[in-house]
Amino acid sequence: MPSPYRAIFAAPGTKAFSVAGFFGRIPISMMGIGIVTMISELTGRYGLAGAVSATLAMAAAVMGPQISRYVDRYGQRRILRPATVVAVAAVAGLLICAQQGAPDWTLFVFAAGAGCVPSVGSMVRARWAEIYRGYPRELHTAYSWESIADEVCFIFGPIIAIGLSTAWFPEAGPLLAAVFLAVGVFWLTAQRATEPVPHPRHEHTGGSALASRGLQVLVGTFVAVGAIFGSIDVVTVAFAEEQGHKAAASLVLAVYALGSCLAGAVFGLLHLKGRASTRWLVGVCAMAVSMIPLLLAGNLPLLAVALFVAGLSIAPTMVTTMALIEQHVPRTKLTEGMTWTGTGLAVGVALGSSAAGWVVDAAGADAGYAVPVAAGALAALVAFLGYRRLRMPAPTRGGHGTDGAHIKDGVQDGEHVA
């Protein structure tokens, strides 16, 4: 690896928790698309498949921040293990009901229960933040590394989920996702030395992290960004099926993630100056514009090229988002703040996958790509409207300034206090 990436792993325990976190977050890329593939294989109903996947995403959006709030108070091990047991049990119930042809409502019930899945990516990033607090360059590289790991998951996760569900048996993809979740979470929480120190209840003043005006902008924008991701997953599977190569959808989606992975790897080597909020706005607008060529792709190779280009803006935008969260969320609520952006994505995935499923059923896969185009335009609009809130960091203890300098008790390092 290039030296900046090697340097961040010099700290003891970083390799182990990063690998454990990788396994724990693979289900993010496998579960939703695995459910879509499973139900479409068993019933042929993309509307139902998208709605069940949306239910899972929406439930995770509701429960994820609450789980992370308790993690900030009581620690990762104490909260994540029971939450994971509940999520895995619910996935097992979902697979049994789907395989046995149970009534549709049972699928929604168990999908909602599976929403207890914890935000493993937030847990790993919180460990990096604890280790490199006050070292903005190293933390930028660490966040970039985690974005690369995210995208590697999205390269291989859909391939595994769709490939197993189409070539082996329909339930194989979600089943393996549940196994990865259990292994990753229990391995991660076994590593106590790098676990962030919990903050007692009396330190959690001011209610939810979502009270931050800057975080509200990030979450609102990420709802629209999530709609992009959710709709692209559903429409691409349907488009590949119309082309007579349904299993190829996993490869096309992997190319989408590959673009993001490569961009994230390069971005982590850079030490950019200027406002993080400006880079974030540019990234969101680039994501929106990159959706337009999808409407013109008439075959799978052209679609793969268009998605690769679209993926180039994802990881840099995500990395910048993590930096903005640190600027606008108190240290005692950092894990919750990171999870709220994931919640925004989950809500968007729910809306986008559901809308795309109905559009595909009604008008075909070609028309379905209008959904990510509309979602991209909405994301850019929200980002523009909320940009002023992000320009200056909130004066909260434990944030970071726009140039990466540490802020303590509202005073930036290097400032003279009269």
Side-chain angles (χ1 to χ4, degrees):
M1 292 184 292
S3 57
Y5 289 110
R6 287 201 305 269
I8 63 172
F9 285 104
T14 51
K15 293 186 181 72
F17 76 66
S18 186
V19 174
F22 176 79
F23 281 101
R25 83 185 82 180
I26 288 180
I28 297 176
S29 65
M30 293 180 63
M31 192 65 73
I33 195 67
I35 289 173
V36 169
T37 306
M38 175 184 70
I39 295 178
S40 64
E41 284 282 298
L42 292 172
T43 68
R45 298 162 61 189
Y46 277 96
L48 175 63
V52 173
S53 178
T55 300
L56 170 62
M58 190 67 73
V62 172
M63 289 185 273
Q66 311 309 318
I67 293 173
S68 293
R69 182 180 301 176
Y70 284 116
V71 166
D72 283 330
R73 293 181 182 178
Y74 302 110
Q76 294 185 1
R77 181 187 180 95
R78 186 174 174 183
I79 301 301
L80 297 188
R81 289 192 169 188
T84 299
V85 170
V86 173
V88 170
V91 171
L94 173 63
L95 301 188
I96 293 172
C97 288
Q99 196 274 333
Q100 295 296 320
D104 291 350
W105 65 265
T106 61
L107 304 180
F108 290 98
V109 169
F110 282 110
C116 283
V117 58
S119 176
V120 177
S122 297
M123 306 304 158
V124 176
R125 287 177 172 89
R127 293 187 182 224
W128 285 117
E130 190 76 10
I131 292 172
Y132 289 117
R133 188 172 305 281
Y135 297 89
R137 288 192 173 184
E138 288 79 2
L139 194 54
H140 167 79
T141 304
Y143 285 158
S144 297
W145 173 259
E146 292 305 316
S147 289
I148 294 171
D150 284 339
E151 299 310 327
V152 171
C153 289
F154 279 96
I155 291 172
F156 293 104
I159 294 175
I160 296 171
I162 297 175
L164 290 180
S165 291
T166 55
W168 197 4
F169 56 92
E171 302 84 7
L175 176 61
L176 186 58
V179 173
F180 280 139
L181 175 65
V183 170
V185 169
F186 278 80
W187 185 8
L188 177 67
T189 53
Q191 301 172 40
R192 306 300 298 274
T194 55
E195 180 178 346
V197 177
H199 299 277
R201 185 183 183 90
H202 68 269
E203 294 183 15
H204 291 260
T205 58
S208 171
L210 196 57
S212 164
R213 289 165 58 85
L215 184 60
Q216 291 169 7
V217 174
L218 297 174
V219 173
T221 304
F222 269 45
V223 171
V225 172
I228 293 175
F229 297 158
S231 57
I232 284 178
D233 280 353
V234 173
V235 179
T236 299
V237 173
F239 184 84
E241 185 175 30
E242 285 187 359
Q243 297 287 312
H245 303 284
K246 186 175 182 178
S250 60
L251 299 177
V252 175
L253 292 173
V255 170
Y256 186 32
L258 178 62
S260 179
C261 182
L262 294 178
V266 174
F267 193 71
L269 301 176
L270 305 177
H271 299 298
L272 302 176
K273 297 182 179 180
R275 294 183 181 275
S277 55
T278 302
R279 294 196 298 272
W280 179 81
L281 179 61
V282 171
V284 173
C285 292
M287 292 176 65
V289 172
S290 68
M291 292 298 103
I292 297 175
L294 301 182
L295 294 171
L296 307 177
N299 55 55
L300 288 174
L302 289 178
L303 177 62
V305 172
L307 285 175
F308 177 82
V309 174
L312 295 176
S313 58
I314 296 176
T317 305
M318 297 300 183
V319 173
T320 307
T321 299
M322 294 299 111
L324 288 172
I325 291 172
E326 280 217 294
Q327 292 177 14
H328 291 272
V329 174
R331 181 187 307 175
T332 57
K333 302 175 182 178
L334 183 59
T335 307
E336 181 191 349
M338 291 180 176
T339 304
W340 271 114
T341 58
T343 291
L345 282 173
V347 171
V349 167
L351 298 175
S353 61
S354 182
W358 294 118
V359 171
V360 168
D361 283 345
D366 287 334
Y369 281 113
V371 178
V373 172
L378 180 60
L381 176 61
V382 175
F384 268 113
L385 294 177
Y387 173 66
R388 292 184 62 182
R389 293 189 183 184
L390 296 174
R391 291 184 62 184
M392 293 301 296
T396 53
R397 187 176 188 273
H400 290 78
T402 53
D403 61 352
H406 190 59
I407 288 179
K408 184 176 182 180
D409 297 326
V411 179
Q412 185 167 312
D413 289 351
E415 288 183 343
H416 176 71
V417 182

